[in-house]
């Protein structure tokens, strides 16, 4: 009888592995499995680019008001397409302009009424200097619409 005839051949898989290991003298050695190392992430300050602050450019009104100087401007002019004699001006002013008008004798209950009186005088003076008879005005009426924030629409 040969060696194979005397060997007991196992039938289960694990038993077969043991048989082969015993046959060749292989010992079970524990296999050390190393876990992959993850590099440590350190807190690194992130440089955030500084966005320069955009300075809002001051308006002429804001500059004059800071200096406590009178200021007035015609913001817009509108002409009636159907009747060129009618239209309106949109004015803006600061509190120091109204104070100047009151000091010069213009009176009114509101800032708008004071500015309206001044604007009417201004228009009359311009018309007179141009030779327009200001007693015979056939161009309509003057209407003041308070837009708020120190602004009025005069038509």
């Amino acid at each position: 009888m040969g060696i194979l005839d005397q060997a007991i051949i196992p039938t289960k898989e694990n038993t077969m592995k043991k048989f082969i290991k015993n046959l060749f003298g292989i010992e079970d050695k524990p296999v050390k499995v190393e876990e992959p190392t993850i590099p440590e992430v350190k807190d690194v300050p992130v440089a955030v680019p500084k966005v320069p602050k955009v300075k809002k450019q001051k308006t002429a009104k804001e500059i004059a008001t800071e200096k406590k100087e009178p200021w007035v401007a015609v913001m817009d002019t509108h002409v009636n397409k159907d009747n060129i004699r009618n239209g309106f001006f949109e004015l803006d002013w600061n509190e120091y302009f109204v104070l100047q008008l009151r000091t010069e004798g213009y009176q009114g209950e509101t800032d708008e009424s004071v500015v309206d009186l001044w604007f009417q005088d201004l228009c009359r003076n311009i018309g007179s200097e141009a030779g327009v008879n200001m007693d015979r005005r056939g161009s309509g009426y003057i209407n003041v619409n308070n837009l708020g924030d120190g602004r009025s629409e005069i038509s």
Side-chain angles (χ1 to χ4, degrees):
M1 278 208 214
I3 209 166
L4 289 176
D5 293 330
Q6 295 176 357
I8 301 172
I9 299 175
T11 56
K12 292 187 176 178
E13 186 177 321
N14 282 340
T15 311
M16 179 60 97
K17 286 182 184 177
K18 286 181 185 178
F19 172 75
I20 293 174
K21 286 179 182 179
N22 284 336
L23 183 65
F24 292 105
I26 300 172
E27 295 179 25
D28 282 338
K29 293 182 182 176
V31 178
K32 189 175 185 182
V33 178
E34 292 184 26
E35 292 185 26
T37 57
I38 300 173
E40 183 179 333
V41 178
K42 295 181 180 180
D43 290 335
V44 178
V46 177
V48 177
K50 291 185 179 181
V51 178
K53 292 182 181 178
V54 178
K55 290 184 179 180
K56 179 186 167 197
Q57 195 166 7
K58 293 182 182 178
T59 64
K61 179 181 180 179
E62 291 169 332
I63 293 169
T65 302
E66 284 180 2
K67 293 180 179 180
K68 299 183 179 181
E69 296 175 348
W71 179 87
V72 64
V74 175
M75 303 307 289
D76 205 354
T77 304
H78 301 273
V79 177
N80 185 331
K81 292 178 185 176
D82 299 328
N83 183 354
I84 193 107
R85 292 178 178 219
N86 289 323
F88 64 90
F89 295 92
E90 183 181 337
L91 301 177
D92 191 15
W93 60 85
N94 67 6
E95 62 191 271
Y96 299 103
F97 178 68
V98 176
L99 182 62
Q100 180 184 28
L101 293 178
R102 289 186 187 275
T103 303
E104 294 292 323
Y106 288 95
Q107 297 177 4
E109 291 182 25
T110 65
D111 290 352
E112 288 78 15
S113 62
V114 171
V115 173
D116 180 44
L117 289 172
W118 165 80
F119 192 71
Q120 288 178 36
D121 274 354
L122 180 67
C123 291
R124 278 199 264 316
N125 290 338
I126 292 170
S128 283
E129 288 175 9
V132 176
N133 182 354
M134 297 309 291
D135 294 329
R136 190 182 61 82
R137 279 192 8 176
S139 60
Y141 61 94
I142 295 177
N143 184 30
V144 179
N145 182 17
N146 181 0
L147 300 175
D149 194 31
R151 298 171 60 191
S152 288
E153 176 182 275
I154 301 174
S155 58

